[in-house]
Amino acid sequence: MSAARLLVCYGGTFDPVHNGHLAVARAARDLLDADVALVPAHDPPHKGPTRADALQRAEMLELALAGEPGLRVDRRELRRQGPSYTVDTLGELRRELGADAPIAWLVGADSLLELHTWHRWRELFTLAHLVAVQRPGSEVDAARLRAQAPEVLAEIDGRWLPPGDLAASPAGGFALLALPALRPESSTGLRRRIREGGDWQDWVAPAVAAFIDRHGLYRGPADILPVSPHPSQR
């Protein structure tokens, strides 16, 4: 009997969604043979206020993913009041999909190193697998985790799985997803380019660029700044 298809959830503010986000989502879909749900946060507890509102960010995601097989937007965090805690989102998904469905949550290397600050972070492994993105030049291995996040290393020790094995079980594993190439895009850099009148359209899908222009987004002085950290985490 073949394993069920893996669902990978990719959370974030997506303020705005850019081609680097799409590259990560496509890599997860293709390398993990998975369906990928991009989950925009309504009230991100690990960051300050977003520059575009929740509905605008979700609409830009819908535009960016149009025509992309296996990629979709999940708006559940926009419908929920209060902070967008990952453990709550995964709890909802587990109740909807059942105990046996394989689910994974995708994080970047920086988020993995801060995982121990997330709300009820150890419970994440009872609800899903964790997949960390390996960007060229920002690799995460046991030595780096031991030096910078020993609590995280202790939790994932013994959970490491080859990416192809994630679909064989519902939760509890840890895998690395290696991106083939370094991407230039970042949301902070993109907002800076828009604000300063630089070239930015090739960093986003054409429909997203048109949306940003139509609504005059990211033109204010504060929009180029990175969002500030929040004392409670995702």
Side-chain angles (χ1 to χ4, degrees):
M1 183 170 140
S2 61
R5 190 166 176 84
L6 177 68
L7 172 64
V8 174
C9 299
Y10 178 15
T13 52
F14 304 109
D15 191 27
V17 59
H18 53 65
N19 292 337
H21 294 133
L22 298 182
V24 170
R26 291 179 185 126
R29 176 194 63 194
D30 298 342
L31 298 177
L32 302 178
D33 190 24
D35 293 322
V36 179
L38 285 81
V39 188
H42 183 271
D43 178 14
H46 61 311
K47 295 184 177 181
T50 57
R51 312 308 179 192
D53 67 37
L55 291 179
Q56 289 172 327
R57 291 183 286 111
E59 287 180 39
M60 286 188 282
L61 272 173
E62 297 279 6
L63 292 170
L65 300 187
E68 285 279 358
L71 306 183
R72 62 179 174 86
V73 180
D74 186 323
R75 297 191 180 211
R76 70 182 60 242
E77 291 190 353
L78 307 187
R79 298 190 293 267
R80 196 168 68 224
Q81 297 300 311
S84 300
Y85 290 128
T86 298
V87 68
D88 294 334
T89 300
L90 286 175
E92 284 183 11
L93 280 166
R94 182 55 66 194
R95 289 189 292 274
E96 289 174 14
L97 301 179
D100 297 328
I103 303 172
W105 192 270
L106 189 67
V107 299
D110 291 343
S111 293
L112 179 65
L113 294 172
E114 297 178 352
L115 188 68
H116 60 288
T117 69
W118 288 26
H119 183 62
R120 292 161 48 199
W121 69 280
R122 295 183 195 277
E123 293 179 38
L124 299 176
F125 294 97
T126 69
L127 298 167
H129 302 295
L130 197 71
V131 177
V133 176
Q134 289 270 58
R135 290 181 173 85
S138 184
E139 288 80 4
V140 175
D141 56 16
R144 186 176 177 192
L145 285 165
R146 187 175 297 110
Q148 299 184 37
E151 291 176 80
V152 176
L153 179 61
E155 183 62 37
I156 66 175
D157 191 35
R159 297 185 183 276
W160 297 68
L161 290 174
D165 289 357
L166 294 174
S169 59
F174 173 78
L176 295 172
L177 177 70
L179 294 187
L182 184 64
R183 301 290 310 190
E185 303 92 351
S186 73
S187 291
T188 301
L190 175 55
R191 293 193 301 267
R192 179 176 292 109
R193 286 182 173 215
I194 296 170
R195 169 68 181 130
E196 296 177 349
D199 293 332
W200 60 272
Q201 287 86 352
D202 60 344
W203 276 22
V204 300
V208 173
F211 185 95
I212 291 170
D213 278 336
R214 185 164 65 252
H215 292 274
L217 297 177
Y218 310 113
R219 268 39 181 208
D223 290 337
I224 66 172
L225 300 175
V227 288
S228 58
H230 189 285
S232 63
Q233 296 292 308
R234 192 177 171 86

